[in-house]
């Protein structure tokens, strides 16, 4: 893909770069713009005015002026003392997302970096030389620690993440790829450490995963409604208070199929499913909007604006951390509901099917232990719903006295995605078992093809692993369930 304008490197392209399904090249015109902007930055640096992180120290050392010799080394040495992280590392696709988001933010004129630095990031992506980026322990007001690890790879002093998850030295990996280490030019080192490209890239990946997961959740919830023959009353279109809820109501009503309700009112977990899904849809849209803002915003500090170097809050991930936290809570609530729906499906008074969805109650446990697994996963998710924004602690001798803890927010969201998928697999297995016991065609052909035949007890954990794999791949076809 030839990128002629910065806005062409949008969320969709960031996701593709993260997954290694596309390559980008900067157009000659865009390279010329970057070069012209870089020359303006260098011209404005040519003087005696203090510029944070360029001819001064950083953080509590901002008052220390650097001589010419120190300035020549400073942009590289910024990486060394800040690369203090270690395993666990971001996954390779997550680290690729960081590189892609960093490239996008460097296309903003305020960053003032060279076209050569942008090309170096593209080279890492093209040759799949992926930095080993610590996933935890980033207690700075921004992402200085993980970004220092990323920048150290360009210098040849960092570590890369291989296919086995090991983190060997970067220099041999660069050499094997035909790449050479490069130094950071004036102000490029401090620019590299600013902003929240890691959290931005993670938000892009998590939002895409959530979109798929919510589509699957709607389909499975509709099938669960069909199992208990829940009244369609709570799905009436007049109850829609938003576009999101209207879409969920219409989809659930269509997919659940026709047929008489078994009871006047279904359990509450069924009746409130649609509003909870609408909340999650609004939350993921808010995270996507925050990611868009982060990709297009001024992330550098100091930023080059109107010929001056201006201190900013571009390093703060407050917007992304807050929206990621809200989405985490919404997903955890969906896990609560899925676990409750599965429990109701074990009750013959609700379904008219054998107790615990067992083909031989008393001899076989049926889905009872599957539900217990869902309970354990759902309980675990509760610890991740505490907002990451809370808990500020002073660092840098008080120069940094607030943090957004963006990587922690992303980690919590990732756990919520994984946990909800696990709970969804449990509910889906329960739905599959219910349809077989009711002598009805299994609602999801991909699941039926992946599982052993029959309804007798077996090591259901293997079934759940297969279903989780299908969900992660996005392999779940939605169709109308016949009565």
């Amino acid at each position: 893909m030839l990128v002629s304008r910065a806005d062409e490197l949008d969320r969709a392209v960031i996701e593709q770069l993260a997954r290694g399904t596309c390559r980008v090249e900067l157009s000659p015109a865009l390279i010329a713009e970057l070069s012209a902007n870089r020359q303006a930055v260098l011209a404005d640096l040519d003087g005696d005015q203090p510029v944070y992180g360029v001819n001064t120290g950083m953080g509590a050392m901002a008052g220390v002026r650097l001589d010419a010799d120190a300035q020549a080394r400073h942009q590289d040495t910024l990486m060394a003392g800040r690369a203090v992280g270690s395993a666990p590392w971001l996954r390779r696709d997550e680290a690729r997302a960081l590189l892609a988001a960093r490239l996008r933010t460097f296309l903003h004129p305020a960053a003032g970096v060279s076209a050569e630095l942008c090309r170096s990031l593209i080279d890492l992506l093209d040759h799949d030389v992926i930095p080993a980026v610590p996933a935890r322990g980033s207690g700075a007001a921004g992402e200085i620690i993980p970004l220092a690890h990323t920048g150290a790879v360009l210098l040849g002093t960092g570590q890369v993440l291989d296919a086995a998850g090991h983190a060997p030295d970067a220099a041999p990996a660069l050499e094997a790829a035909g790449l050479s280490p490069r130094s950071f030019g004036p102000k490029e080192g401090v620019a590299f450490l600013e902003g929240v490209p890691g959290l931005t890239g993670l938000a892009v990946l998590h939002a895409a995963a959530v979109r798929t997961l919510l589509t699957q959740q709607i389909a499975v919830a509709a099938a669960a409604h069909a199992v208990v023959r829940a009244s369609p009353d709570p799905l009436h279109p007049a109850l829609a208070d938003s576009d999101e809820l209207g879409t969920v109501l219409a989809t659930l009503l269509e997919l659940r199929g026709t047929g008489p309700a078994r009871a006047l009112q279904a359990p509450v977990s069924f009746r409130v499913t649609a509003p909870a899904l609408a909340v999650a849809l609004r939350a993921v849209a808010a995270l996507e909007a925050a990611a868009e803002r982060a990709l297009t915003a001024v992330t550098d500090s100091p930023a080059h604006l109107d010929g001056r170097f201006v201190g900013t809050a571009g390093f703060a991930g407050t917007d992304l951390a807050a929206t990621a936290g809200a989405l985490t809570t919404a997903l955890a609530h969906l896990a609560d509901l899925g676990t409750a729906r599965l429990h109701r499906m074990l009750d013959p008074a609700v379904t008219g099917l054998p107790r615990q969805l067992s083909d031989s109650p008393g001899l076989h446990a049926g889905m009872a232990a599957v539900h217990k697994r869902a309970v354990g996963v759902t309980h675990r998710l509760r610890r991740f719903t505490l907002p990451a924004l809370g808990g500020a602690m002073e660092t840098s001798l008080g120069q940094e006295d607030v943090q957004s803890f963006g990587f922690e927010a992303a980690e919590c969201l990732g756990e919520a995605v994984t946990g909800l998928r696990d709970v969804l697999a449990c509910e889906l297995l329960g739905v599959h078992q219910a349809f077989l016991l009711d002598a009805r065609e299994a609602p999801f052909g991909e699941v039926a093809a992946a599982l052993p035949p029959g309804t007798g007890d077996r090591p259901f954990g293997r079934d759940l692993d297969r279903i989780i794999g299908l969900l992660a791949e996005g392999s779940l076809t939605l169709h109308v369930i016949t009565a």
Side-chain angles (χ1 to χ4, degrees), residues 71-444:
Q71 289 180 45
R73 304 192 311 270
H74 188 43
Q75 299 304 297
D76 288 352
T77 58
L78 284 173
M79 307 299 159
R82 292 163 178 80
V84 299
S86 54
W89 311 108
L90 294 183
R91 298 193 315 263
R92 288 172 59 81
D93 61 328
E94 293 172 336
R96 288 182 63 93
L98 183 157
L99 289 173
R102 178 79 293 174
L103 172 64
R104 170 62 183 90
T105 59
F106 275 174
L107 300 183
H108 195 294
V113 303
S114 65
E116 290 73 25
L117 178 54
C118 294
R119 284 200 188 101
S120 293
L121 295 177
I122 294 173
D123 285 341
L124 294 182
L125 290 166
D126 284 350
H127 292 86
D128 208 28
V129 178
I130 307 305
V133 182
R136 298 175 185 166
S138 181
E143 298 181 356
I144 287 177
I145 293 172
L147 292 176
H149 281 264
T150 307
V153 170
L154 293 175
L155 296 170
T157 61
Q159 296 168 273
V160 295
L161 194 64
D162 64 20
H166 301 136
D169 290 341
L174 290 173
E175 183 178 3
L179 303 176
S180 300
R182 74 176 306 279
S183 290
F184 291 94
K187 198 187 167 298
E188 287 188 322
V190 65
F192 200 91
L193 295 178
E194 298 294 344
V196 286
L199 177 55
T200 305
L202 291 170
V204 169
L205 289 179
H206 288 327
V210 170
R211 286 286 183 187
T212 299
L213 191 55
L214 292 181
T215 300
Q216 296 165 339
Q217 178 75 80
I218 292 172
V220 174
H225 275 66
V227 168
V228 305
R229 291 179 169 85
S231 169
D233 287 356
L235 306 180
H236 195 289
L239 300 176
D241 60 5
S242 64
D243 290 342
E244 294 85 3
L245 183 53
T247 298
V248 173
L249 292 173
T251 306
L252 285 174
L253 192 60
E254 176 187 8
L255 292 178
R256 71 178 290 280
T258 58
R262 182 175 174 81
L264 182 62
Q265 285 194 320
V268 171
S269 55
F270 288 83
R271 285 184 276 151
V272 302
T273 289
L277 282 162
V279 168
L281 285 170
R282 285 192 287 272
V284 72
L287 181 62
E288 290 167 340
E292 290 284 4
R293 289 190 291 271
L295 288 171
T296 58
V298 173
T299 63
D300 201 7
S301 181
H304 188 241
L305 301 171
D306 301 323
R308 297 176 53 242
F309 295 98
V310 180
T312 78
F315 52 82
T318 309
D319 190 7
L320 283 166
T323 50
L327 181 54
T328 299
T329 301
L331 298 185
H333 181 53
L334 288 177
D336 287 336
L337 294 180
T339 301
R341 287 193 302 269
L342 177 54
H343 199 209
R344 297 284 75 77
M345 285 192 286
L346 304 187
D347 187 347
V350 176
T351 65
L353 297 174
R355 194 173 187 179
Q356 296 185 173
L357 295 179
S358 168
D359 66 347
S360 183
L363 176 64
H364 287 170
M367 295 290 102
V370 171
H371 173 254
K372 292 179 188 296
R373 171 170 170 171
V375 167
V377 173
T378 299
H379 181 270
R380 181 175 182 272
L381 288 186
R382 292 174 183 172
R383 74 188 68 173
F384 299 109
T385 59
L386 180 68
L389 275 175
M393 303 179 193
E394 288 197 352
T395 63
S396 294
L397 303 179
Q399 177 71 15
E400 296 182 26
D401 51 7
V402 174
Q403 299 84 18
S404 57
F405 296 111
F407 270 41
E408 285 74 11
E411 181 182 18
C412 291
L413 178 54
E415 292 286 353
V417 170
T418 301
L420 178 57
R421 187 181 291 126
D422 197 323
V423 171
L424 183 60
C426 293
E427 185 179 10
L428 181 46
L429 181 57
V431 164
H432 177 77
Q433 181 89 341
F435 270 73
L436 294 183
L437 290 172
D438 204 21
R440 302 166 69 185
E441 181 183 357
F444 301 105

